Amino acid sequence: MIAVIKFPGTTCELETAMALKEAGLRGEIVDHADFDPDRFESVVLPGGFSFGDYLRAGAIAAGSESLKKIKEMADSGKKVLGICNGFQILTEAGLLRGALLPNLNGRFLTKWVYLKVVRDDTAITRNLGGRVLFMPIAHAEGRYYGEGDWVQRTIVMTYSSATGEVNEKWNPNGSLWNTAAVANESGNVVGMMPHPERASFPFSRSTDGLQLLRGLGGR
Amino acid sequence: MNYTVEILILPKDSIRDPEGEAIERHMLGEVRGKLKQVRVGKVIRVILEASSKEEAIKMAEEFSSRGLHNPLVHKVELRAI
C-alpha cells in the first residue's frame, strides 16, 4: 500500500491516488496527522499548496511530525516520491538537496513539457534511461538551485525538446541545468516538479506518468 | 525581559530575485537612473524572553536557521529593538 499524504492545502491527492490505481497500484489518502508509517511500503507527497505556501512553499509541512516519519522510512530504504509541492517539501525537509526558488519569469507556469530521463537508478526511472516523457507542470516556485559537485549527480530528469535536446530554450523556469527532478544518492527518494498523475488516464494528453508511477510498486 | 527581534530574510547576493527585478523594471520609474538594485525579502518580528539583547538575537538566529530561512539561498540580518 502506498500512502498519499494530505496536508491542509494539498490539492492533488485524489488524482494521485487514482493515477496509482491506473498504474496497477494501491494508494490510500492519509491525513498527515494520522499517518502510520508501518502500514505503508512507500509514500507520495502530492502537489498543491500545503499550509497555504506560507513562509515558503513546503516549509511548514517540512517541519511537521509526518516528515520525521517519512525520513525514517526513506532511511530504511522505502520509496518516497514528492510531486510539485511534495518536491518542495522534500527539499525543505532536507530529504533532498537543493532548493526550489520562484520561477525566473515571475509567473505561475502551467504547460505541458518534455522531460529527458538522465538517471535510471532511481525508484521511478528504472529502465527509462534516455527516454523522453511528456507531462504538465503547474508551479510558481520550481527553479531548482544547488551549489557544489553533487548537483549533477542528483539530477534525474531535465526539461528538454521532444527529441531530447537539453538547452536553455527548453528551460521553463530557470532551473539550474534544466533540472526537473532529482533524487538522493540511493535513488529511493525522488522529487519532481512535473505532474505524472496528470498524464496517467485514457483522457490525458499522454499516459507517460504511469511509466514513472509504476516504479513505486514492489520493494 | 522581553525583546523584540526582527529577522530580515533576503535572497543571497548570488541568487536572482525575479520579484525585485520586476519592481525595478516596472515600478519606481521616478527614480530610474538613480535606482541601482531592488531586492525583496521577508521580515519576521518575534518577541522573545531573554536575559540580554545579545542573547535574544542569538536565540532568533538559531531558530531561524532551523527553517525560517534556508541557508542555501538566503542571508539574514537580525536586529533587536
Side-chain angles (χ1 to χ4, degrees):
Chain A
M1 186 67 86
I2 301 167
V4 179
I5 308 284
K6 180 172 172 56
F7 294 97
T10 298
T11 55
C12 301
E13 71 280 8
L14 184 58
E15 66 221 87
T16 301
M18 288 172 75
L20 289 173
K21 192 173 175 194
E22 204 69 22
L25 303 169
R26 288 170 60 207
E28 183 183 321
I29 298 168
V30 191
D31 189 278
H32 75 105
D34 303 327
F35 175 50
D36 173 4
D38 296 336
R39 288 188 48 228
F40 300 96
E41 284 84 50
S42 43
V43 184
V44 180
L45 294 170
F49 306 86
S50 60
F51 295 95
D53 279 353
Y54 290 159
L55 189 61
R56 281 183 310 283
I60 296 181
S64 71
E65 272 306 302
S66 57
L67 259 291
K68 287 185 192 139
K69 297 173 188 168
I70 291 168
K71 186 169 187 313
E72 281 171 21
M73 289 175 78
D75 290 345
S76 74
K78 289 183 176 178
K79 296 170 185 172
V80 179
L81 171 64
I83 300 168
C84 196
N85 186 232
F87 181 13
Q88 294 161 339
I89 294 169
L90 290 176
T91 56
E92 286 286 344
L95 270 82
L96 291 172
R97 297 177 79 175
L100 290 149
L101 297 167
N103 298 339
L104 213 45
N105 67 3
R107 297 188 198 138
F108 188 99
L109 287 168
T110 169
K111 63 189 285 197
W112 283 70
V113 295
Y114 291 97
L115 304 169
K116 186 173 187 181
V117 179
V118 295
R119 222 183 116 179
D120 62 2
D121 63 342
T122 79
I124 62 166
T125 56
R126 282 195 209 289
N127 308 316
L128 295 177
R131 294 280 286 276
V132 177
L133 308 174
F134 187 47
M135 63 193 68
I137 52 169
H139 60 247
E141 292 95 5
R143 177 174 38 133
Y144 185 76
Y145 178 81
E147 288 174 357
D149 297 342
W150 54 269
V151 180
Q152 206 113 38
R153 291 195 306 275
T154 202
I155 303 171
V156 177
M157 287 182 269
T158 52
Y159 299 108
S160 75
S161 70
T163 53
E165 281 172 87
V166 180
N167 58 47
E168 202 44 47
K169 187 180 166 195
W170 303 102
N171 190 344
N173 53 20
S175 282
L176 185 65
W177 292 322
N178 285 40
T179 303
V182 306
N184 64 349
E185 214 154 294
S186 46
N188 65 319
V189 181
V190 186
M192 60 187 294
M193 286 316 294
H195 285 267
E197 79 283 7
R198 295 186 191 179
S200 291
F201 302 97
F203 54 80
S204 308
R205 278 178 75 185
S206 136
T207 53
D208 288 353
L210 293 175
Q211 299 187 51
L212 299 172
L213 294 175
R214 282 191 195 110
L216 291 171
R219 286 288 304 175
Chain B
M1 196 173 152
N2 288 344
Y3 291 92
T4 299
V5 180
E6 285 182 343
I7 304 161
L8 177 63
I9 302 173
L10 283 163
K12 275 185 187 169
D13 295 342
S14 57
I15 302 277
R16 281 187 64 184
D17 170 21
E19 194 173 355
E21 289 172 24
I23 293 169
E24 195 175 320
R25 209 171 308 126
H26 302 292
M27 293 177 76
L28 309 175
E30 68 277 13
V31 287
R32 190 150 300 132
K34 295 204 168 158
L35 186 68
K36 299 303 173 199
Q37 193 184 48
V38 178
R39 305 288 278 174
V40 176
K42 265 187 185 175
V43 178
I44 300 174
R45 182 181 289 161
V46 297
I47 299 172
L48 285 169
E49 194 185 313
S51 57
S52 67
K53 213 182 233 194
E54 291 68 34
E55 194 199 30
I57 288 179
K58 210 173 155 203
M59 277 166 71
E61 198 167 17
E62 209 271 317
F63 70 65
S64 183
S65 66
R66 277 193 273 125
L68 289 190
H69 76 277
N70 180 346
L72 178 64
V73 292
H74 297 131
K75 59 177 186 180
V76 282
E77 290 166 24
L78 294 108
R79 55 183 176 227
I81 305 167

